[in-house]
Every structure is written in structure tokens, then in C-alpha cells.
Amino acid sequence: MANFRKTILVVSFLTTALCGVSMATVYQVGDSAGWTSMGQVDYQDWATNKNFHVGDTLVFNYNNQFHNVKQVTHQGFESCNATSPLATYTNGSDTVTLEKLGHFYFICGYPGHCQAGQKIDVLVAPATSNLSPAPLSQISPSSASTLSFSNLSWASGVLLAICLLGFGY
């Protein structure tokens, strides 16, 4: 019976801790316009207005008779040079998972398309955490009632962990 209780506590802790974890986001590059050189999308503006994180996915939808996607270095991006890509995508509905922090550079390798603006710099930033407590001077009675669920689940997980430490195996 004691092992069962310990198991329940561990499962409860893991469940509580994972409640605050966010899920990855899937982004269709260019939204409904897709990946095109027709001038309908300012890809740099599109990317700047997004918060990309590790695990997110980019979906490039395009007509593969007229376009492709080349992942390139910063130098290849700046010069629109697709001759030595890091990766090439050509099926017209390509998915790229952002697996690390930093910049990911993509261009269309068809002549003139990158120069016409069919290129994108995606910055993958660390996930922000709102788990650090605010200084007491910044907490007002009205804001104290607006605690988020993720803060509560994190705090519950910490309290549960402290309790578990008292129940050594």
C-alpha cells in the first residue's frame, strides 16, 4: 500500500509539472499565400511577428514547378546564393522542424525569386518563463487574484516534490 501511494504521488507530480509545458506550434510560412514570389507576402515582416521556439514546425506550401525551399547559411541568405544549401526541399508541401536555438535561413533557389523577396530569416528564441516571482512591491491585491494556472501547477509541483523528499524510497 505504501508503494502504491508513492507511485500515485510521483505520477501526480509528473502530471502537475507537465501542465505548464507548452506545445509546439505549426506555422504555415506566408499564411494563406504560402511560399511565393508574387509579392503578396513580406516574409521578413511575417517572421518578425512570430515567436518561434525549439520544436515548432514551419510548413512551406508552394507550386514545386516554380519554387523550392533551400535552407542556407547567413552568407547564402544575404547574397541569395543557393549553390551550397544546408538542405533542399522540393515537394511543394515541406515541413521543417526547428530543432535548435538561433537563426534558420530559407530562400527560393529559382533565379530571381530570392532577390524579389522570397526569403525568410526565422529566429528561434528560448521559451520565456513566467515562473520567477514578482517582487512583493509589484503585487497588488487585485493582481494577486490573477495567478495563472501554469504558475499554480509549477508551485504545486514544487510543493509535491518537497513532500516526496520526505518519503524516501
Side-chain angles (χ1 to χ4, degrees):
M1 185 68 166
N3 283 340
F4 178 73
R5 286 184 186 169
K6 288 179 185 177
T7 301
I8 293 297
L9 286 174
V10 170
V11 169
S12 296
F13 170 74
L14 292 174
T15 303
T16 302
L18 292 175
C19 284
V21 175
S22 63
M23 301 302 290
T25 303
V26 176
Y27 294 98
Q28 180 174 314
V29 175
D31 297 323
S32 61
W35 183 241
T36 180
S37 61
M38 300 303 285
Q40 300 168 354
V41 180
D42 180 337
Y43 292 104
Q44 288 315 112
D45 186 52
W46 179 88
T48 302
N49 291 314
K50 309 282 186 282
N51 293 311
F52 300 102
H53 302 290
V54 172
D56 287 351
T57 300
L58 301 177
V59 178
F60 290 87
N61 289 317
Y62 57 94
N63 183 333
N64 65 355
Q65 292 179 338
F66 303 106
H67 305 288
N68 60 28
V69 179
K70 304 264 185 165
Q71 183 177 352
V72 296
T73 64
H74 180 256
Q75 184 177 354
F77 178 81
E78 291 296 326
S79 63
C80 286
N81 184 342
T83 58
S84 299
L86 303 172
T88 300
Y89 305 93
T90 59
N91 76 13
S93 183
D94 301 304
T95 60
V96 178
T97 301
L98 304 172
E99 296 178 347
K100 62 182 181 176
L101 299 175
H103 290 269
F104 288 78
Y105 302 100
F106 301 95
I107 65 175
C108 180
Y110 278 69
H113 290 200
C114 177
Q115 291 85 347
Q118 195 175 2
K119 61 191 235 175
I120 188 168
D121 172 3
V122 173
L123 175 59
V124 178
T128 58
S129 171
N130 58 357
L131 298 180
S132 55
L136 290 177
S137 62
Q138 292 182 1
I139 298 177
S140 67
S142 62
S143 67
S145 64
T146 61
L147 291 173
S148 69
F149 178 74
S150 64
N151 282 344
L152 290 175
S153 66
W154 180 82
S156 299
V158 169
L159 289 174
L160 189 55
I162 292 169
C163 291
L164 288 174
L165 290 175
F167 299 106
Y169 285 109

